[in-house]
Structure formats: C-alpha cells, structure tokens
Amino acid sequence: PTPTATPETTATPTATATPTPTAESQTYVVQPGDTLFMIASLFASDPSQIESLANAIAVANGITDPATIQVGQELIIPSQ
C-alpha cells in the first residue's frame, strides 16, 4: 500500500478586546446613578486627575459612549 498524507489543521489564536486587569488596577461595580466622572472622582488622588482618569476608565473598558455603562457592570479602574 502507498502511504497517503493526512492534512493537518492548526488552530489560529484570535485576539480579544477584553481588557485584562493588572496587579495595579482595581475594579468597580457600577451603581444606579453612576457616571464615569463620578466613578473617576472616587479613585482620583487629585481632583485635577478626574477627567483624565474618566478617559482612562473608558479606554480600559472599551467604552465609546459613557452613557452606555450599565448598573452592575464591572469596570476596570486603571492605576494612576
């Protein structure tokens, strides 16, 4: 008998957009009435950092529209 080759398929890893918390980050569960700025104010060490932290929270969590955060959603809070 003549040997025949068996085709092999290799799984290709896929990238994910899910942020991974680092040892320096924290998490926060969105409460009723929360906004990104209000959440950022809880974690900012200086009031002048609230806006930049709110933007960092949006980026870390893939939020393009701050109005879309949901009660119960767990957000990654990046370290400053």
Short mmCIF file of all heavy atoms in Angstrom, two decimals:
data_model
loop_
_atom_site.label_atom_id
_atom_site.label_comp_id
_atom_site.label_asym_id
_atom_site.label_seq_id
_atom_site.Cartn_x
_atom_site.Cartn_y
_atom_site.Cartn_z
N PRO A 1 0.83 -1.21 0.00
CA PRO A 1 0.00 0.00 0.00
C PRO A 1 0.87 1.26 0.00
O PRO A 1 1.95 1.30 0.58
CB PRO A 1 -0.80 -0.10 1.27
CG PRO A 1 -0.25 -1.26 2.06
CD PRO A 1 0.69 -2.00 1.18
N THR A 2 0.36 2.29 -0.68
CA THR A 2 1.08 3.56 -0.76
C THR A 2 0.61 4.46 0.38
O THR A 2 -0.60 4.65 0.56
CB THR A 2 0.78 4.26 -2.11
OG1 THR A 2 1.11 3.35 -3.16
CG2 THR A 2 1.56 5.54 -2.24
N PRO A 3 1.58 4.99 1.17
CA PRO A 3 1.16 5.88 2.26
C PRO A 3 0.56 7.18 1.71
O PRO A 3 0.98 7.68 0.68
CB PRO A 3 2.44 6.17 3.03
CG PRO A 3 3.56 5.66 2.18
CD PRO A 3 2.98 4.79 1.10
N THR A 4 -0.43 7.69 2.38
CA THR A 4 -1.05 8.96 1.97
C THR A 4 -0.87 9.98 3.10
O THR A 4 -0.87 9.63 4.28
CB THR A 4 -2.55 8.80 1.67
OG1 THR A 4 -3.19 8.28 2.82
CG2 THR A 4 -2.78 7.86 0.50
N ALA A 5 -0.73 11.22 2.69
CA ALA A 5 -0.57 12.30 3.68
C ALA A 5 -1.93 12.70 4.22
O ALA A 5 -2.90 12.75 3.49
CB ALA A 5 0.11 13.50 3.04
N THR A 6 -1.97 12.97 5.48
CA THR A 6 -3.20 13.45 6.11
C THR A 6 -3.02 14.94 6.38
O THR A 6 -2.07 15.35 7.03
CB THR A 6 -3.45 12.74 7.44
OG1 THR A 6 -3.49 11.33 7.20
CG2 THR A 6 -4.74 13.20 8.08
N PRO A 7 -3.88 15.78 5.80
CA PRO A 7 -3.73 17.22 6.03
C PRO A 7 -3.93 17.57 7.51
O PRO A 7 -4.76 16.96 8.19
CB PRO A 7 -4.81 17.86 5.17
CG PRO A 7 -5.73 16.75 4.79
CD PRO A 7 -5.01 15.45 5.00
N GLU A 8 -3.14 18.49 7.99
CA GLU A 8 -3.26 18.94 9.37
C GLU A 8 -3.81 20.35 9.40
O GLU A 8 -3.46 21.16 8.56
CB GLU A 8 -1.88 18.93 10.06
CG GLU A 8 -1.34 17.54 10.28
CD GLU A 8 -0.02 17.58 11.04
OE1 GLU A 8 0.20 18.54 11.80
OE2 GLU A 8 0.76 16.65 10.86
N THR A 9 -4.65 20.59 10.36
CA THR A 9 -5.13 21.96 10.55
C THR A 9 -4.57 22.48 11.86
O THR A 9 -4.50 21.75 12.84
CB THR A 9 -6.67 22.04 10.56
OG1 THR A 9 -7.14 21.17 11.58
CG2 THR A 9 -7.26 21.62 9.23
N THR A 10 -4.15 23.70 11.82
CA THR A 10 -3.60 24.32 13.03
C THR A 10 -4.54 25.41 13.47
O THR A 10 -4.94 26.25 12.67
CB THR A 10 -2.21 24.93 12.73
OG1 THR A 10 -1.40 23.91 12.18
CG2 THR A 10 -1.57 25.49 13.98
N ALA A 11 -4.89 25.38 14.75
CA ALA A 11 -5.77 26.43 15.29
C ALA A 11 -5.01 27.75 15.30
O ALA A 11 -3.85 27.82 15.69
CB ALA A 11 -6.23 26.06 16.69
N THR A 12 -5.68 28.78 14.84
CA THR A 12 -5.09 30.11 14.85
C THR A 12 -5.68 30.88 16.02
O THR A 12 -6.89 31.01 16.12
CB THR A 12 -5.41 30.86 13.54
OG1 THR A 12 -4.96 30.05 12.46
CG2 THR A 12 -4.74 32.21 13.50
N PRO A 13 -4.82 31.38 16.92
CA PRO A 13 -5.37 32.14 18.05
C PRO A 13 -6.04 33.42 17.58
O PRO A 13 -5.62 34.02 16.60
CB PRO A 13 -4.14 32.46 18.91
CG PRO A 13 -2.96 32.09 18.10
CD PRO A 13 -3.40 31.29 16.93
N THR A 14 -7.09 33.78 18.26
CA THR A 14 -7.79 35.02 17.91
C THR A 14 -7.56 36.04 19.01
O THR A 14 -7.47 35.70 20.17
CB THR A 14 -9.30 34.78 17.73
OG1 THR A 14 -9.81 34.23 18.93
CG2 THR A 14 -9.58 33.84 16.58
N ALA A 15 -7.46 37.28 18.60
CA ALA A 15 -7.27 38.36 19.57
C ALA A 15 -8.61 38.72 20.19
O ALA A 15 -9.65 38.60 19.55
CB ALA A 15 -6.67 39.58 18.88
N THR A 16 -8.58 39.14 21.43
CA THR A 16 -9.79 39.58 22.08
C THR A 16 -9.64 41.03 22.50
O THR A 16 -8.53 41.50 22.75
CB THR A 16 -10.12 38.73 23.33
OG1 THR A 16 -9.07 38.90 24.26
CG2 THR A 16 -10.27 37.27 22.98
N ALA A 17 -10.74 41.72 22.59
CA ALA A 17 -10.72 43.12 23.01
C ALA A 17 -11.03 43.24 24.50
O ALA A 17 -11.19 44.32 25.01
CB ALA A 17 -11.73 43.92 22.20
N THR A 18 -11.11 42.11 25.18
CA THR A 18 -11.43 42.14 26.60
C THR A 18 -10.22 42.60 27.39
O THR A 18 -9.17 41.98 27.34
CB THR A 18 -11.85 40.75 27.09
OG1 THR A 18 -12.92 40.29 26.28
CG2 THR A 18 -12.26 40.79 28.55
N PRO A 19 -10.34 43.73 28.09
CA PRO A 19 -9.20 44.20 28.88
C PRO A 19 -8.90 43.23 30.03
O PRO A 19 -9.81 42.62 30.58
CB PRO A 19 -9.65 45.55 29.43
CG PRO A 19 -11.05 45.76 28.99
CD PRO A 19 -11.49 44.57 28.19
N THR A 20 -7.65 43.11 30.34
CA THR A 20 -7.23 42.26 31.44
C THR A 20 -6.73 43.13 32.58
O THR A 20 -5.84 43.95 32.37
CB THR A 20 -6.10 41.32 30.98
OG1 THR A 20 -6.56 40.58 29.85
CG2 THR A 20 -5.69 40.38 32.08
N PRO A 21 -7.30 43.00 33.75
CA PRO A 21 -6.83 43.82 34.86
C PRO A 21 -5.38 43.49 35.21
O PRO A 21 -4.97 42.35 35.12
CB PRO A 21 -7.74 43.44 36.03
CG PRO A 21 -8.78 42.56 35.47
CD PRO A 21 -8.37 42.12 34.11
N THR A 22 -4.64 44.49 35.57
CA THR A 22 -3.26 44.28 36.00
C THR A 22 -3.24 44.30 37.52
O THR A 22 -4.23 44.64 38.17
CB THR A 22 -2.34 45.38 35.46
OG1 THR A 22 -2.74 46.62 36.05
CG2 THR A 22 -2.39 45.49 33.95
N ALA A 23 -2.10 43.98 38.07
CA ALA A 23 -1.96 43.98 39.53
C ALA A 23 -2.18 45.38 40.10
O ALA A 23 -2.53 45.52 41.26
CB ALA A 23 -0.59 43.46 39.91
N GLU A 24 -1.96 46.39 39.27
CA GLU A 24 -2.09 47.77 39.74
C GLU A 24 -3.50 48.32 39.56
O GLU A 24 -3.80 49.40 40.05
CB GLU A 24 -1.10 48.65 39.00
CG GLU A 24 0.34 48.25 39.25
CD GLU A 24 1.31 49.07 38.42
OE1 GLU A 24 0.86 49.93 37.65
OE2 GLU A 24 2.51 48.86 38.54
N SER A 25 -4.35 47.63 38.84
CA SER A 25 -5.69 48.14 38.61
C SER A 25 -6.66 47.62 39.67
O SER A 25 -6.37 46.68 40.40
CB SER A 25 -6.19 47.78 37.21
OG SER A 25 -6.32 46.39 37.09
N GLN A 26 -7.81 48.29 39.74
CA GLN A 26 -8.88 47.87 40.65
C GLN A 26 -10.13 47.68 39.81
O GLN A 26 -10.17 48.05 38.65
CB GLN A 26 -9.12 48.96 41.69
CG GLN A 26 -7.92 49.27 42.55
CD GLN A 26 -8.21 50.42 43.51
OE1 GLN A 26 -9.35 50.67 43.88
NE2 GLN A 26 -7.18 51.11 43.91
N THR A 27 -11.15 47.12 40.41
CA THR A 27 -12.43 47.02 39.73
C THR A 27 -13.50 47.74 40.53
O THR A 27 -13.36 47.93 41.75
CB THR A 27 -12.85 45.55 39.51
OG1 THR A 27 -12.92 44.90 40.77
CG2 THR A 27 -11.88 44.82 38.60
N TYR A 28 -14.56 48.13 39.83
CA TYR A 28 -15.66 48.83 40.47
C TYR A 28 -16.94 48.36 39.79
O TYR A 28 -17.00 48.27 38.56
CB TYR A 28 -15.50 50.35 40.29
CG TYR A 28 -16.67 51.14 40.85
CD1 TYR A 28 -16.77 51.41 42.21
CD2 TYR A 28 -17.68 51.61 40.01
CE1 TYR A 28 -17.84 52.12 42.72
CE2 TYR A 28 -18.76 52.33 40.52
CZ TYR A 28 -18.82 52.58 41.87
OH TYR A 28 -19.89 53.27 42.39
N VAL A 29 -17.96 48.07 40.57
CA VAL A 29 -19.26 47.68 40.03
C VAL A 29 -20.15 48.91 39.97
O VAL A 29 -20.35 49.60 40.97
CB VAL A 29 -19.91 46.57 40.89
CG1 VAL A 29 -21.29 46.22 40.35
CG2 VAL A 29 -19.02 45.34 40.94
N VAL A 30 -20.65 49.20 38.77
CA VAL A 30 -21.47 50.39 38.54
C VAL A 30 -22.75 50.33 39.36
O VAL A 30 -23.45 49.32 39.38
CB VAL A 30 -21.80 50.54 37.04
CG1 VAL A 30 -22.70 51.74 36.79
CG2 VAL A 30 -20.52 50.65 36.21
N GLN A 31 -23.03 51.42 40.05
CA GLN A 31 -24.22 51.56 40.89
C GLN A 31 -25.22 52.48 40.19
O GLN A 31 -24.86 53.27 39.32
CB GLN A 31 -23.83 52.15 42.25
CG GLN A 31 -22.78 51.34 43.01
CD GLN A 31 -23.26 49.94 43.33
OE1 GLN A 31 -24.34 49.75 43.89
NE2 GLN A 31 -22.47 48.94 42.96
N PRO A 32 -26.51 52.45 40.59
CA PRO A 32 -27.50 53.35 39.99
C PRO A 32 -27.06 54.80 40.13
O PRO A 32 -26.61 55.25 41.18
CB PRO A 32 -28.78 53.08 40.80
CG PRO A 32 -28.60 51.69 41.34
CD PRO A 32 -27.11 51.56 41.60
N GLY A 33 -27.16 55.55 39.04
CA GLY A 33 -26.82 56.97 39.04
C GLY A 33 -25.36 57.27 38.77
O GLY A 33 -24.97 58.44 38.66
N ASP A 34 -24.51 56.24 38.69
CA ASP A 34 -23.09 56.47 38.45
C ASP A 34 -22.83 57.01 37.05
O ASP A 34 -23.51 56.63 36.09
CB ASP A 34 -22.29 55.16 38.59
CG ASP A 34 -22.01 54.77 40.03
OD1 ASP A 34 -22.30 55.57 40.94
OD2 ASP A 34 -21.50 53.66 40.24
N THR A 35 -21.83 57.87 36.95
CA THR A 35 -21.29 58.32 35.67
C THR A 35 -19.79 58.03 35.71
O THR A 35 -19.22 57.81 36.79
CB THR A 35 -21.50 59.83 35.45
OG1 THR A 35 -20.74 60.54 36.44
CG2 THR A 35 -22.98 60.22 35.56
N LEU A 36 -19.15 58.06 34.56
CA LEU A 36 -17.71 57.81 34.54
C LEU A 36 -16.96 58.86 35.36
O LEU A 36 -16.00 58.54 36.07
CB LEU A 36 -17.17 57.78 33.12
CG LEU A 36 -17.45 56.51 32.32
CD1 LEU A 36 -16.81 56.60 30.93
CD2 LEU A 36 -16.95 55.28 33.03
N PHE A 37 -17.42 60.12 35.29
CA PHE A 37 -16.75 61.18 36.04
C PHE A 37 -16.92 60.96 37.55
O PHE A 37 -16.00 61.17 38.32
CB PHE A 37 -17.25 62.56 35.62
CG PHE A 37 -16.60 63.04 34.36
CD1 PHE A 37 -17.19 62.82 33.13
CD2 PHE A 37 -15.38 63.71 34.40
CE1 PHE A 37 -16.58 63.26 31.96
CE2 PHE A 37 -14.76 64.15 33.25
CZ PHE A 37 -15.37 63.92 32.02
N MET A 38 -18.10 60.53 37.97
CA MET A 38 -18.33 60.28 39.39
C MET A 38 -17.47 59.11 39.87
O MET A 38 -16.85 59.18 40.91
CB MET A 38 -19.83 59.98 39.61
CG MET A 38 -20.28 60.05 41.07
SD MET A 38 -20.00 58.58 42.12
CE MET A 38 -20.46 57.23 41.10
N ILE A 39 -17.39 58.06 39.05
CA ILE A 39 -16.56 56.91 39.40
C ILE A 39 -15.10 57.33 39.47
O ILE A 39 -14.38 56.99 40.40
CB ILE A 39 -16.78 55.76 38.40
CG1 ILE A 39 -18.23 55.24 38.49
CG2 ILE A 39 -15.77 54.63 38.64
CD1 ILE A 39 -18.64 54.34 37.34
N ALA A 40 -14.66 58.11 38.49
CA ALA A 40 -13.27 58.58 38.47
C ALA A 40 -12.97 59.42 39.71
O ALA A 40 -11.88 59.33 40.28
CB ALA A 40 -13.00 59.38 37.20
N SER A 41 -13.96 60.21 40.16
CA SER A 41 -13.72 61.05 41.33
C SER A 41 -13.51 60.21 42.60
O SER A 41 -12.84 60.64 43.53
CB SER A 41 -14.86 62.04 41.54
OG SER A 41 -16.04 61.38 41.96
N LEU A 42 -14.05 59.00 42.62
CA LEU A 42 -13.85 58.10 43.77
C LEU A 42 -12.42 57.59 43.85
O LEU A 42 -11.92 57.26 44.92
CB LEU A 42 -14.80 56.90 43.69
CG LEU A 42 -16.30 57.19 43.76
CD1 LEU A 42 -17.08 55.91 43.49
CD2 LEU A 42 -16.67 57.79 45.10
N PHE A 43 -11.76 57.49 42.70
CA PHE A 43 -10.45 56.88 42.63
C PHE A 43 -9.31 57.86 42.37
O PHE A 43 -8.15 57.51 42.53
CB PHE A 43 -10.43 55.78 41.55
CG PHE A 43 -11.30 54.60 41.90
CD1 PHE A 43 -12.62 54.56 41.51
CD2 PHE A 43 -10.79 53.54 42.64
CE1 PHE A 43 -13.43 53.47 41.83
CE2 PHE A 43 -11.59 52.46 42.97
CZ PHE A 43 -12.91 52.42 42.57
N ALA A 44 -9.64 59.09 41.96
CA ALA A 44 -8.59 60.07 41.66
C ALA A 44 -7.95 60.56 42.95
O ALA A 44 -8.63 60.91 43.90
CB ALA A 44 -9.18 61.24 40.87
N SER A 45 -6.64 60.59 42.94
CA SER A 45 -5.92 61.07 44.13
C SER A 45 -5.89 62.60 44.18
O SER A 45 -5.61 63.18 45.22
CB SER A 45 -4.51 60.50 44.17
OG SER A 45 -3.82 60.84 42.99
N ASP A 46 -6.20 63.22 43.06
CA ASP A 46 -6.19 64.69 42.95
C ASP A 46 -7.35 65.10 42.05
O ASP A 46 -7.54 64.50 40.99
CB ASP A 46 -4.84 65.11 42.33
CG ASP A 46 -4.69 66.61 42.18
OD1 ASP A 46 -5.70 67.33 42.14
OD2 ASP A 46 -3.52 67.05 42.09
N PRO A 47 -8.14 66.09 42.45
CA PRO A 47 -9.29 66.50 41.63
C PRO A 47 -8.92 66.86 40.19
O PRO A 47 -9.73 66.71 39.28
CB PRO A 47 -9.86 67.71 42.36
CG PRO A 47 -9.43 67.52 43.78
CD PRO A 47 -8.09 66.82 43.72
N SER A 48 -7.69 67.30 39.97
CA SER A 48 -7.28 67.66 38.61
C SER A 48 -7.11 66.43 37.71
O SER A 48 -6.97 66.56 36.50
CB SER A 48 -5.98 68.47 38.63
OG SER A 48 -4.91 67.66 39.08
N GLN A 49 -7.14 65.24 38.29
CA GLN A 49 -6.95 64.00 37.53
C GLN A 49 -8.27 63.32 37.16
O GLN A 49 -8.25 62.30 36.47
CB GLN A 49 -6.10 63.02 38.34
CG GLN A 49 -4.70 63.52 38.63
CD GLN A 49 -3.95 62.58 39.55
OE1 GLN A 49 -4.55 61.86 40.34
NE2 GLN A 49 -2.64 62.60 39.46
N ILE A 50 -9.38 63.87 37.59
CA ILE A 50 -10.67 63.20 37.38
C ILE A 50 -10.96 63.01 35.90
O ILE A 50 -11.32 61.91 35.46
CB ILE A 50 -11.82 63.95 38.08
CG1 ILE A 50 -11.63 63.85 39.60
CG2 ILE A 50 -13.19 63.39 37.66
CD1 ILE A 50 -12.61 64.69 40.40
N GLU A 51 -10.80 64.04 35.09
CA GLU A 51 -11.12 63.93 33.66
C GLU A 51 -10.22 62.92 32.97
O GLU A 51 -10.70 62.07 32.21
CB GLU A 51 -11.01 65.28 32.97
CG GLU A 51 -11.45 65.22 31.51
CD GLU A 51 -11.51 66.58 30.83
OE1 GLU A 51 -11.33 67.61 31.51
OE2 GLU A 51 -11.74 66.59 29.63
N SER A 52 -8.92 62.95 33.25
CA SER A 52 -8.03 62.00 32.59
C SER A 52 -8.28 60.58 33.07
O SER A 52 -8.20 59.63 32.28
CB SER A 52 -6.56 62.39 32.78
OG SER A 52 -6.21 62.36 34.15
N LEU A 53 -8.64 60.41 34.35
CA LEU A 53 -8.96 59.07 34.84
C LEU A 53 -10.26 58.57 34.22
O LEU A 53 -10.37 57.38 33.87
CB LEU A 53 -9.04 59.04 36.37
CG LEU A 53 -9.30 57.67 37.00
CD1 LEU A 53 -8.28 56.62 36.53
CD2 LEU A 53 -9.32 57.76 38.51
N ALA A 54 -11.25 59.43 34.07
CA ALA A 54 -12.51 59.03 33.42
C ALA A 54 -12.23 58.55 31.99
O ALA A 54 -12.79 57.53 31.55
CB ALA A 54 -13.51 60.18 33.41
N ASN A 55 -11.36 59.25 31.29
CA ASN A 55 -10.99 58.83 29.93
C ASN A 55 -10.25 57.51 29.96
O ASN A 55 -10.48 56.64 29.12
CB ASN A 55 -10.14 59.91 29.25
CG ASN A 55 -10.94 61.14 28.91
OD1 ASN A 55 -12.14 61.08 28.67
ND2 ASN A 55 -10.29 62.29 28.91
N ALA A 56 -9.35 57.32 30.94
CA ALA A 56 -8.60 56.07 31.05
C ALA A 56 -9.53 54.90 31.37
O ALA A 56 -9.34 53.79 30.85
CB ALA A 56 -7.52 56.20 32.13
N ILE A 57 -10.54 55.13 32.20
CA ILE A 57 -11.53 54.09 32.51
C ILE A 57 -12.27 53.69 31.24
O ILE A 57 -12.48 52.50 30.96
CB ILE A 57 -12.51 54.55 33.61
CG1 ILE A 57 -11.79 54.73 34.94
CG2 ILE A 57 -13.68 53.56 33.75
CD1 ILE A 57 -12.61 55.44 36.02
N ALA A 58 -12.67 54.69 30.46
CA ALA A 58 -13.39 54.42 29.20
C ALA A 58 -12.53 53.57 28.27
O ALA A 58 -13.00 52.57 27.72
CB ALA A 58 -13.80 55.72 28.54
N VAL A 59 -11.27 53.94 28.11
CA VAL A 59 -10.37 53.20 27.22
C VAL A 59 -10.13 51.78 27.75
O VAL A 59 -10.21 50.81 27.00
CB VAL A 59 -9.03 53.96 27.05
CG1 VAL A 59 -7.99 53.10 26.35
CG2 VAL A 59 -9.24 55.26 26.30
N ALA A 60 -9.86 51.65 29.03
CA ALA A 60 -9.56 50.34 29.62
C ALA A 60 -10.73 49.36 29.50
O ALA A 60 -10.53 48.15 29.49
CB ALA A 60 -9.16 50.49 31.09
N ASN A 61 -11.94 49.91 29.41
CA ASN A 61 -13.13 49.06 29.36
C ASN A 61 -13.80 49.04 27.99
O ASN A 61 -14.89 48.48 27.84
CB ASN A 61 -14.13 49.52 30.43
CG ASN A 61 -13.59 49.23 31.82
OD1 ASN A 61 -13.66 48.11 32.30
ND2 ASN A 61 -13.01 50.24 32.47
N GLY A 62 -13.16 49.67 27.00
CA GLY A 62 -13.72 49.68 25.64
C GLY A 62 -15.02 50.44 25.53
O GLY A 62 -15.88 50.10 24.72
N ILE A 63 -15.18 51.48 26.35
CA ILE A 63 -16.42 52.26 26.36
C ILE A 63 -16.26 53.41 25.36
O ILE A 63 -15.40 54.27 25.53
CB ILE A 63 -16.72 52.81 27.76
CG1 ILE A 63 -16.92 51.65 28.74
CG2 ILE A 63 -17.93 53.75 27.74
CD1 ILE A 63 -16.96 52.08 30.20
N THR A 64 -17.10 53.43 24.33
CA THR A 64 -17.04 54.52 23.36
C THR A 64 -18.08 55.59 23.67
O THR A 64 -17.93 56.73 23.26
CB THR A 64 -17.27 53.99 21.93
OG1 THR A 64 -18.50 53.27 21.88
CG2 THR A 64 -16.12 53.07 21.52
N ASP A 65 -19.13 55.21 24.38
CA ASP A 65 -20.17 56.17 24.76
C ASP A 65 -20.41 56.02 26.27
O ASP A 65 -20.97 55.02 26.71
CB ASP A 65 -21.46 55.87 23.99
CG ASP A 65 -22.61 56.81 24.35
OD1 ASP A 65 -22.43 57.71 25.20
OD2 ASP A 65 -23.69 56.64 23.76
N PRO A 66 -19.98 57.02 27.06
CA PRO A 66 -20.13 56.91 28.52
C PRO A 66 -21.56 56.67 28.99
O PRO A 66 -21.77 56.14 30.07
CB PRO A 66 -19.61 58.25 29.04
CG PRO A 66 -18.71 58.74 27.95
CD PRO A 66 -19.30 58.23 26.66
N ALA A 67 -22.54 57.03 28.18
CA ALA A 67 -23.93 56.83 28.55
C ALA A 67 -24.33 55.36 28.52
O ALA A 67 -25.41 55.00 28.99
CB ALA A 67 -24.84 57.64 27.64
N THR A 68 -23.45 54.52 27.99
CA THR A 68 -23.81 53.10 27.85
C THR A 68 -23.39 52.24 29.03
O THR A 68 -23.63 51.03 29.01
CB THR A 68 -23.18 52.50 26.56
OG1 THR A 68 -21.76 52.58 26.66
CG2 THR A 68 -23.67 53.23 25.32
N ILE A 69 -22.78 52.83 30.07
CA ILE A 69 -22.44 51.99 31.22
C ILE A 69 -23.72 51.53 31.90
O ILE A 69 -24.71 52.25 31.94
CB ILE A 69 -21.47 52.68 32.21
CG1 ILE A 69 -22.08 53.92 32.85
CG2 ILE A 69 -20.13 52.98 31.55
CD1 ILE A 69 -21.24 54.51 33.99
N GLN A 70 -23.69 50.31 32.38
CA GLN A 70 -24.88 49.68 32.93
C GLN A 70 -24.70 49.39 34.42
O GLN A 70 -23.61 49.02 34.86
CB GLN A 70 -25.13 48.34 32.22
CG GLN A 70 -25.29 48.44 30.73
CD GLN A 70 -26.63 48.99 30.33
OE1 GLN A 70 -27.64 48.67 30.96
NE2 GLN A 70 -26.66 49.81 29.30
N VAL A 71 -25.78 49.54 35.18
CA VAL A 71 -25.77 49.17 36.59
C VAL A 71 -25.38 47.70 36.69
O VAL A 71 -25.88 46.87 35.94
CB VAL A 71 -27.16 49.41 37.24
CG1 VAL A 71 -27.21 48.84 38.65
CG2 VAL A 71 -27.49 50.89 37.25
N GLY A 72 -24.44 47.40 37.57
CA GLY A 72 -23.96 46.04 37.75
C GLY A 72 -22.75 45.70 36.89
O GLY A 72 -22.10 44.69 37.12
N GLN A 73 -22.43 46.56 35.93
CA GLN A 73 -21.26 46.34 35.08
C GLN A 73 -20.00 46.50 35.90
O GLN A 73 -19.87 47.42 36.70
CB GLN A 73 -21.28 47.35 33.93
CG GLN A 73 -20.13 47.23 32.96
CD GLN A 73 -20.23 48.25 31.83
OE1 GLN A 73 -21.17 49.04 31.76
NE2 GLN A 73 -19.25 48.24 30.94
N GLU A 74 -19.06 45.59 35.73
CA GLU A 74 -17.79 45.66 36.44
C GLU A 74 -16.78 46.39 35.56
O GLU A 74 -16.51 45.98 34.44
CB GLU A 74 -17.29 44.26 36.78
CG GLU A 74 -16.09 44.28 37.70
CD GLU A 74 -15.73 42.89 38.20
OE1 GLU A 74 -16.54 42.31 38.96
OE2 GLU A 74 -14.67 42.41 37.81
N LEU A 75 -16.25 47.49 36.08
CA LEU A 75 -15.29 48.29 35.33
C LEU A 75 -13.88 48.12 35.90
O LEU A 75 -13.70 48.03 37.12
CB LEU A 75 -15.66 49.78 35.40
CG LEU A 75 -17.01 50.19 34.81
CD1 LEU A 75 -17.23 51.68 35.02
CD2 LEU A 75 -17.09 49.82 33.34
N ILE A 76 -12.91 48.09 35.02
CA ILE A 76 -11.52 48.11 35.43
C ILE A 76 -11.14 49.57 35.67
O ILE A 76 -11.40 50.43 34.81
CB ILE A 76 -10.62 47.50 34.35
CG1 ILE A 76 -10.97 46.03 34.16
CG2 ILE A 76 -9.14 47.68 34.70
CD1 ILE A 76 -10.35 45.41 32.93
N ILE A 77 -10.55 49.85 36.82
CA ILE A 77 -10.09 51.20 37.15
C ILE A 77 -8.56 51.16 37.06
O ILE A 77 -7.91 50.57 37.93
CB ILE A 77 -10.53 51.63 38.56
CG1 ILE A 77 -12.02 51.40 38.79
CG2 ILE A 77 -10.11 53.07 38.83
CD1 ILE A 77 -12.95 52.17 37.85
N PRO A 78 -7.99 51.75 36.00
CA PRO A 78 -6.53 51.72 35.87
C PRO A 78 -5.84 52.48 36.99
O PRO A 78 -6.40 53.44 37.54
CB PRO A 78 -6.26 52.39 34.52
CG PRO A 78 -7.58 52.58 33.87
CD PRO A 78 -8.63 52.47 34.93
N SER A 79 -4.63 52.06 37.31
CA SER A 79 -3.88 52.79 38.31
C SER A 79 -3.46 54.13 37.73
O SER A 79 -3.37 54.31 36.53
CB SER A 79 -2.65 51.99 38.74
OG SER A 79 -1.77 51.84 37.64
N GLN A 80 -3.21 55.06 38.63
CA GLN A 80 -2.81 56.39 38.16
C GLN A 80 -1.34 56.41 38.03
O GLN A 80 -0.48 56.87 38.30
CB GLN A 80 -3.34 57.46 39.10
CG GLN A 80 -4.84 57.48 39.11
CD GLN A 80 -5.37 58.58 39.99
OE1 GLN A 80 -4.77 59.61 40.18
NE2 GLN A 80 -6.54 58.36 40.54
#
